[in-house]
Amino acid sequence: MSERVFIGVAWPYANGSLHLGQIAGANLPADIFARYHRTKGNEVLMVSGSDQHGTPITIKAEQEGKTPEEIADYYQREYLDCWQKLGISFDLYTTTGTANHTAVAQDIFRRLLEGGYLYRETVSQAYCPRCERFLPDRYVEGTCPSCNSPGARGDQCDACGKPMNTTELIAPYCRTCKTTPIFKDSEHFFLKLSEFQNKLSDWVEKQTHWRPNTLNLTRRYLKEGLRDRAITRDIEWGVPVPVAGFEHKRLYVWFEAVIGYLSASKEWAKSHGDEEKWRPFWEGGVKSYYFLGKDNIPFHTLIWPAMLMGYGGLALPYDVPANEFLTIEGRKVSTSQNWAVWLPDYLSRYDPDPLRYLLSINMPETSDTDFSWREFVRRNNDELVATYGNLVNRVLTLVYRNFDGRVPEHEELSDPDKSVMKDADSYLRQTGELLSRCNFKQAIMTAMSVAHGTNRYLDEKSPWKVIKEDRQAAANSLYVALYVISCLKTALYPFLPFSSQKVHEYLGFAGKVEEAGWQPQPPPPGQKLREPEPLFTKLDDSLIEEETRRIGT
Ligand SMILES: [Zn+2]
Ligand SMILES: [Zn+2]
């Protein structure tokens, strides 16, 4: 029976290029999951977009002498290009800058206000008398009270990682003009998160299928007790607050960005000519998955569910498979120090599948993992080229050259032959089960073990030698190998969509891998093959040193 699966992927601030940490953390696992479910015949809606609002964008715009729109538009185009090249198959990748998003965010705000979940309160806010404006937290800098580093921001100290309130900074100053801020009263709306404490606790305790990191962090926040949070700020860039007297304030970006999942679904429905098409993905009978890095957990396990509970009638998250972090060459990613591998840069020089492979088999699912160029080259050469690529290439080339470019006829397969095929079936099924539980690393290792096993089988059978004396014996073992390769192109498709599609075509199949379903697709004897080319390219060791040197410069 077909299931409905909603997949939301965390929204990045549109203030810089994407780096590999974001891909390993959220976008790649989401795409793998979506491709698996689509192949299985399930209905999938996968959405995300770029977050155009918030001070990270305005600060970047001021630094570059551009408008926030120009910055956001530039990176939105770059992200779309990256998704296409890396094969991240969003049904819609939009932005928070649309009229649709504003309308949906304001609708949620109004409904929460009517329901009594929002209240007004006057708070003391940093204000720069020289710039004549309120200063959102990132606009105030000063000395960190924890580690004494200069240049700590009003929301967090980059040196020691301590999150803080603007009022805690020692010797605070306006980041634009260096004037010492004064504190002035300002009225804001607050979300009554505290009111959801019990309801959320009851709900979270039922989520025993969540990953330990997601569950433990969420429980810790609940144990500390949920505090009400301001959802408006004194800025001019963002979604307007739909209340008189708040014309110079905007919805706080954390409140409004999570609403993007719903607004994107509605935009997707409209773009398909059916304004109601989003409903089955939000109202009953749907499993909603949210893919994100661990820093985003509480927004998706507490704040967004609280907003949905207050709004009523919409599906709460079913699972929030949060990933840990990907370090680069043993060090934490730092975008400000340029300690990152940037996705557009990678894609300008290398193929997408080798990166998808490494980030999948080395996915930071349960603990931080590391990306290094040495590991990238090793995995590409030893595993993609020498194991999987070599299997596909030697079998297809041998068959293509010796059997008139057609799948050979097999006769009386031996029991060991049959058991190799049966094993391939069962590994395909196992890979699917692991994928359905978001165990991506285990899933790709399971699939790759089939490639290893089949290479051993071929070495024993040596059809390239046997063919001279016993053509039928060679035909049999090559048929078995083709059968396994056909299973592999399905099992590896969510991870390696580009090369799987190629294998699908080399085997003589038409259409897309996805259309064949999550099941073995035996190549019919006599089917015309397409002349194969090597699936992957061996990389030169010299690139390791070259690429490693580029990081951080
Ligand atoms: Zn100032
Ligand atoms: Zn500090």
Side-chain angles (χ1 to χ4, degrees), residues 144 147 157 160:
C144 172
C147 73
C157 168
C160 71

Side-chain angles (χ1 to χ4, degrees), residues 387-501:
T387 303
Y388 177 45
N390 181 40
L391 169 69
V392 171
N393 202 58
R394 63 178 172 161
V395 170
L396 281 160
T397 307
L398 204 58
V399 173
Y400 192 85
R401 293 201 183 139
N402 291 287
F403 292 89
D404 191 26
R406 289 176 190 277
V407 178
E409 302 283 344
H410 54 272
E411 272 171 23
E412 290 163 34
L413 293 178
S414 67
D415 285 345
D417 287 343
K418 284 184 197 151
S419 90
V420 169
M421 290 161 73
K422 241 200 217 136
D423 282 353
D425 294 357
S426 105
Y427 275 109
L428 178 59
R429 206 168 39 241
Q430 279 176 43
T431 305
E433 279 158 17
L434 289 163
L435 284 171
S436 72
R437 294 199 297 272
C438 298
N439 289 339
F440 302 109
K441 212 171 178 164
Q442 199 60 46
I444 193 168
M445 290 199 283
T446 301
M448 283 302 285
S449 70
V450 179
H452 280 286
T454 313
N455 276 324
R456 277 196 303 272
Y457 166 82
L458 279 173
D459 289 343
E460 273 164 35
K461 295 280 177 184
S462 310
W464 44 90
K465 275 190 227 151
V466 171
I467 196 161
K468 288 166 204 142
E469 304 110 49
D470 186 348
R471 198 174 156 79
Q472 190 55 54
N476 284 2
S477 55
L478 286 169
Y479 178 79
V480 170
L482 285 177
Y483 180 92
V484 177
I485 288 169
S486 186
C487 286
L488 267 175
K489 59 110 173 139
T490 303
L492 288 171
Y493 166 72
F495 307 97
L496 310 174
F498 297 96
S499 38
S500 274
Q501 183 62 32

Side-chain angles (χ1 to χ4, degrees), residues 264-301:
S265 303
K266 293 188 175 186
E267 185 185 336
W268 167 82
K270 271 181 219 157
S271 72
H272 281 72
D274 177 0
E275 295 217 2
E276 303 301 310
K277 207 176 162 76
W278 63 275
R279 289 191 187 277
F281 289 99
W282 283 89
E283 299 175 342
V286 63
K287 279 186 178 172
S288 314
Y289 292 80
Y290 292 84
F291 287 86
L292 37 110
K294 64 179 165 188
D295 48 336
N296 264 318
I297 291 174
F299 291 100
H300 294 78
T301 58

Side-chain angles (χ1 to χ4, degrees), residues 128 130-131 174 176-177 179:
C128 176
R130 180 135 170 232
C131 298
C174 164
T176 313
C177 72
T179 303

Side-chain angles (χ1 to χ4, degrees), residues 101-118:
H101 176 72
T102 295
V104 175
Q106 291 181 339
D107 171 52
I108 292 203
F109 178 93
R110 279 196 207 92
R111 181 88 76 96
L112 292 174
L113 186 61
E114 285 160 17
Y117 298 113
L118 305 182

Side-chain angles (χ1 to χ4, degrees), residues 11-15 49-54 57 72 79 93-96 253-254 256-257:
W11 297 52
Y13 280 124
N15 71 334
S50 59
D51 188 343
Q52 301 217 345
H53 298 140
I57 317 286
Y79 298 170
Y93 192 83
T94 181
T95 82
T96 55
V253 73
W254 64 258
E256 162 252 306

Side-chain angles (χ1 to χ4, degrees), residues 78 92 103 223 258 260 338 397 520:
E78 188 180 284
L92 179 71
K223 208 170 153 213
V258 284
N338 201 27
T397 307

